[in-house]
Amino acid sequence: PMYLGPVGRSYNYWFPEGHEQRPSHVGTDGRTTPYATSWHIHLPGSVGGMKLMKNLEAEQRRLGEWVIAKTVKGLKWSSRKIEQRQAASLAARAQRSRLAAEG
């Protein structure tokens, strides 16, 4: 099994219409409050599970929009690391822009 999740983004979901009991986190329009999301994927090795994992890992490194891991703990860790790298990159870019504007 593997887990896939977005980096730095929460998702809204919609509660089924016509359901009488609506939890407190569901609005009158049926939309949930945003929350961190992940998906469990089970693709047996006999149909390409490991190949898919390797391809997804390569795309993850290239894009940085989502993470894939073999455990939920690993998914959270990877997501935090990518968010930290992205924040550091933005801060460095902002610093270079300030220096360029001053000079």
Side-chain angles (χ1 to χ4, degrees):
M2 60 186 98
Y3 297 87
L4 176 75
V7 172
R9 183 174 174 193
S10 295
Y11 279 82
N12 291 94
Y13 292 92
W14 277 261
F15 201 69
E17 288 184 30
H19 199 280
E20 293 179 17
Q21 293 181 336
R22 189 179 297 261
S24 61
H25 69 280
V26 177
T28 56
D29 63 353
R31 191 168 78 172
T32 65
T33 54
Y35 61 92
T37 299
S38 64
W39 296 274
H40 175 261
I41 302 168
H42 178 76
L43 186 62
S46 61
V47 292
M50 287 310 295
K51 184 176 180 182
L52 173 65
M53 180 85 172
K54 290 184 185 311
N55 288 339
L56 288 172
E57 286 173 337
E59 286 297 299
Q60 167 189 312
R61 285 188 296 277
R62 190 175 72 81
L63 298 172
E65 295 176 357
W66 44 269
V67 291
I68 189 158
K70 293 181 181 179
T71 65
V72 172
K73 185 176 180 178
L75 189 73
K76 291 176 181 179
W77 183 87
S78 295
S79 183
R80 280 194 297 272
K81 288 296 180 187
I82 289 175
E83 287 175 6
Q84 290 170 353
R85 265 187 263 138
Q86 289 173 344
S89 178
L90 284 173
R93 233 180 285 150
Q95 178 67 17
R96 285 192 299 272
S97 293
R98 279 193 296 277
L99 292 173
E102 292 172 1

